[in-house]
Amino acid sequence: MKKVILSAVFFSAFLAKAQNSPANEFKYLEYDIQKIQSLYKSNKTSVKEVVEAYLKRINDIDKNGVQLNSIITINPDALKIADSLDHLDPKLKDKPLFGILVLLKDNIDTHDKMPNTAGSLALKNSFPLQDSYLAKKLREAGAVIIGKTNLSEWANFRGMKSTSGWSGLGGLTKNPYILDRNTCGSSAGSGAAISANLGIIAIGTETNGSIVCPSSLNGVVGLKPTVGLISRKGIIPISSTQDTPGPMARTVKDIAISLGTIVGEDKNDIKTVGSSQFLHKDYTKFLTLNGLKGKRFGYIKGITNGASKKVDELFLKTLQNLKDQGAIIVEIEKELISEEVQQKSFELMVAEYKDGLNDYFQSLGKNAPIKNIDELIAFNKNNKEELQYFGQEFLILSAKGDGTKDKNYANAVKVAKEGSQDNGIDFAMKKYTLDAIIAPTTTEAWKTDLKNGDHYSYGSADAAAIAGYPSITLPMGYVDELPVGISFFAEKWQEGKLITMAYTFEQSNPQRKVPQFLK
């Protein structure tokens, strides 16, 4: 108990220091869903006043000032939506996300005055014909979709030597802790914006690492759910096997609240069909403090394999912290997945990419600015801004293939699934009798290098991403003022269990620091 109190005192002192920073003189700094809604219920503020305050902060921090560049589009109707919520009958205000400001990654369809672009100049004026399933669920829950966040263009699956956080349309998103450091991707803007208090929650998407990596590098909590828990309908795709949206927030509690509002079966996404028996409409029931004591956590021997000595040291300290709180730590002798499994995952992504993109472009109707993957490649070739830093090798490779009709596609899916599930996470969980597998999410953020691309040296996302299994990351500590996350992995549909573990860890070892926008 003493350690918990000391950690909380440290956190409060740091927050007080951050509030004295000119960049963090914000009325709602670090407010969560519950705190914002308590102001509404006590009539101390209105949704319109909150939206106005956040719009001003976005202007001061993202567009001017430090120019974080995390938000690609502001919803021009945000104030109008807020005003309409304020005038609702009080009985209709009792919704889990009432008046909560949500930022969507700019590969998620909204049927309003905001385009959905994937960060590409080719889709600059692409307006979807309907809300994505996800956007519809958020609106039903009372949320205000205040804007769209920048991303690594085409969710970081356009070409080799890419720079995470950069898109042709949105430019480069900066890391709010140290501005010349990378945000990781592809949900770069979502991570940076939530860390910088430009919204209350964000929705990112992940194929392999695109929620957990930017969450780690930007010092926030990110949940990559089981593939099939949340519909992908209306989301610009990479892989029908691995793609999933997921919430990003500053606290585990906000993750739990928001997750319950967006899960559900959708007949337009076959992966979600039959998921009702595994999902929960309210994940806050998992916010209990029994996630560590007596639990068996496995970690892979060698940790980051020498990628970062400082991260290894931080993780070993964290293991001791877990032991002190009654956890049992078990060393796993080998990696969860092989290089062959990783290669097959890449092959299935390339195959599914072509079919997925072509289907998405068709969903935009006769006025779609791009009709197919070949037109997209041609557009990029004729646009110097798009190819000024890196190419489009993955698009070309995908376009040349036969998509999911490729003779090797079915085998790639089979090998990837068996290697990551049966012989990967499931095998390790059973062999070592584990409650979860833990690992550093990433190393600390590297310096952004537009010329040579990302200097990415370690990440633990592969196994859960390829398996389609859930993982959650939250701040574990800091290396040279830069946040580093810890990830918890488990079997399919075990989001509730992971939320309990993460919440217990967060409450007993609070590590979230308000970023200082250091130069």
Side-chain angles (χ1 to χ4, degrees):
M1 182 59 69
K2 186 176 181 181
K3 283 194 174 187
V4 175
I5 295 172
L6 287 174
S7 297
V9 169
F10 170 79
F11 177 75
S12 299
F14 192 92
L15 180 57
K17 179 182 176 183
Q19 288 173 322
N20 293 326
S21 170
N24 284 319
E25 292 175 354
F26 180 50
K27 185 177 182 180
Y28 304 112
L29 190 71
E30 297 291 282
Y31 272 42
D32 59 15
I33 292 172
Q34 185 176 20
K35 199 167 183 180
I36 287 286
Q37 289 184 335
S38 69
L39 295 179
Y40 296 150
K41 291 174 182 177
S42 60
N43 294 315
K44 291 181 179 178
T45 191
S46 66
V47 180
K48 188 175 182 180
E49 288 172 346
V50 171
V51 170
E52 286 176 335
Y54 275 91
L55 288 176
K56 182 180 185 304
R57 180 160 175 85
I58 290 169
N59 185 64
D60 292 346
I61 298 293
D62 208 61
K63 306 308 175 188
N64 299 300
V66 298
Q67 297 181 338
L68 194 63
N69 207 34
S70 64
I71 297 175
I72 205 166
T73 305
I74 292 293
N75 189 345
D77 291 327
L79 289 172
K80 182 180 177 181
I81 294 167
D83 190 56
S84 69
L85 290 174
D86 284 328
H87 288 91
L88 282 177
D89 184 297
K91 295 178 182 178
L92 299 177
K93 294 182 179 182
D94 188 22
K95 296 181 177 181
L97 295 182
F98 176 80
I100 298 304
L101 279 61
V102 178
L103 290 162
L104 294 185
K105 185 176 179 179
D106 201 31
N107 62 347
I108 302 172
D109 284 354
T110 56
H111 183 51
D112 48 26
K113 295 175 184 176
M114 294 187 291
N116 191 32
T117 73
S120 171
L121 290 166
L123 298 185
K124 182 178 181 180
N125 296 307
S126 179
F127 292 88
L129 301 180
Q130 59 187 5
D131 267 347
S132 59
Y133 182 88
L134 184 58
K136 180 174 176 286
K137 295 280 282 186
L138 288 167
R139 296 191 206 277
E140 290 173 353
V144 180
I145 300 174
I146 194 173
K148 306 289 287 292
T149 54
N150 196 20
L151 67 159
S152 310
E153 189 175 310
W154 295 107
N156 229 358
F157 204 63
R158 194 192 81 183
M160 299 170 67
K161 294 187 177 180
S162 65
T163 296
S164 291
W166 181 89
S167 69
L169 182 61
L172 178 68
T173 298
K174 301 172 186 175
N175 190 303
Y177 287 88
I178 301 179
L179 297 172
D180 69 349
R181 297 302 178 109
N182 201 264
T183 48
C184 201
S186 62
S187 306
S190 299
I194 292 304
S195 187
N197 283 261
L198 305 185
I200 301 172
I201 63 171
I203 304 298
T205 66
E206 175 165 330
T207 307
N208 191 333
S210 287
I211 289 175
V212 296
C213 186
S215 294
S216 178
L217 266 59
N218 290 284
V220 298
V221 187
L223 174 72
K224 186 211 80 86
T226 303
V227 173
L229 190 72
I230 307 171
S231 172
R232 289 87 50 87
K233 180 63 177 176
I235 298 177
I236 299 174
I238 294 176
S239 166
S240 58
T241 298
Q242 293 180 202
D243 288 351
T244 181
M248 302 165 73
R250 291 182 292 273
T251 67
V252 176
K253 186 174 185 178
D254 280 1
I255 292 289
I257 294 170
S258 56
L259 181 63
T261 68
I262 55 179
V263 300
E265 288 194 47
D266 175 15
K267 64 181 181 180
N268 294 308
D269 182 353
I270 193 170
K271 287 283 188 180
T272 69
V273 175
S275 66
S276 290
Q277 59 183 312
F278 305 109
L279 60 81
H280 303 271
K281 294 297 183 181
D282 181 8
Y283 283 86
T284 61
K285 64 184 178 182
F286 295 103
L287 298 173
T288 61
L289 296 175
N290 62 354
L292 298 179
K293 188 175 181 179
K295 298 298 189 296
R296 290 175 61 87
F297 296 111
Y299 79 99
I300 297 170
K301 185 178 180 180
I303 314 176
T304 67
N305 293 318
S308 174
K309 183 179 178 182
K310 290 182 178 180
V311 171
D312 286 351
E313 291 173 351
L314 176 61
F315 185 70
L316 289 173
K317 289 180 181 178
T318 302
L319 292 182
Q320 186 57 53
N321 179 286
L322 292 170
K323 289 179 183 178
D324 291 345
Q325 295 181 72
I328 301 163
I329 306 300
V330 182
E331 189 176 78
I332 298 174
E333 287 297 320
K334 66 182 185 67
E335 296 290 338
L336 294 173
I337 55 173
S338 66
E339 290 185 7
E340 181 192 16
V341 170
Q342 292 173 320
Q343 177 60 33
K344 294 302 180 183
S345 170
F346 177 75
E347 289 176 13
L348 71 86
M349 287 164 61
V350 168
E352 293 172 348
Y353 199 30
K354 179 179 182 177
D355 293 353
L357 282 182
N358 286 341
D359 288 345
Y360 178 78
F361 294 142
Q362 288 180 17
S363 78
L364 298 174
K366 62 181 180 179
N367 295 321
I370 297 291
K371 300 294 193 297
N372 54 56
I373 193 172
D374 295 316
E375 284 192 12
L376 174 59
I377 291 168
F379 176 92
N380 290 337
K381 284 181 179 178
N382 294 319
N383 193 293
K384 292 182 179 179
E385 289 182 72
E386 282 291 355
L387 301 182
Q388 62 182 308
Y389 296 120
F390 61 96
Q392 54 179 340
E393 294 89 351
F394 300 151
L395 281 173
I396 293 171
L397 182 63
S398 182
K400 287 182 177 178
D402 295 324
T404 54
K405 295 178 181 178
D406 186 280
K407 62 181 181 180
N408 297 316
Y409 169 69
N411 181 62
V413 173
K414 180 177 182 291
V415 173
K417 179 180 178 181
E418 290 179 353
S420 60
Q421 296 180 4
D422 302 344
N423 301 319
I425 292 177
D426 292 339
F427 175 80
M429 294 287 288
K430 185 177 181 180
K431 178 179 179 180
Y432 297 98
T433 321
L434 302 176
D435 292 288
I437 297 166
I438 56 175
T441 309
T442 59
T443 56
E444 69 274 26
W446 57 90
K447 284 189 177 182
T448 296
D449 182 354
L450 285 164
K451 182 179 179 181
N452 299 301
D454 287 336
H455 298 278
Y456 187 82
S457 57
Y458 167 82
S460 59
D462 282 2
I466 297 172
Y469 285 5
S471 63
I472 190 168
T473 180
L474 70 160
M476 170 174 64
Y478 294 79
V479 171
D480 301 329
E481 300 296 328
L482 293 163
V484 176
I486 182 173
S487 283
F488 294 78
F489 314 95
E491 312 96 312
K492 196 174 186 179
W493 310 118
Q494 294 301 311
E495 285 78 11
K497 180 170 74 170
L498 293 183
I499 285 170
T500 299
M501 294 171 180
Y503 182 70
T504 307
F505 180 87
E506 175 192 61
Q507 296 301 302
S508 63
N509 188 38
Q511 290 293 330
R512 162 73 185 165
K513 294 181 184 179
V514 183
Q516 298 296 296
F517 310 102
L518 302 175
K519 295 181 178 180

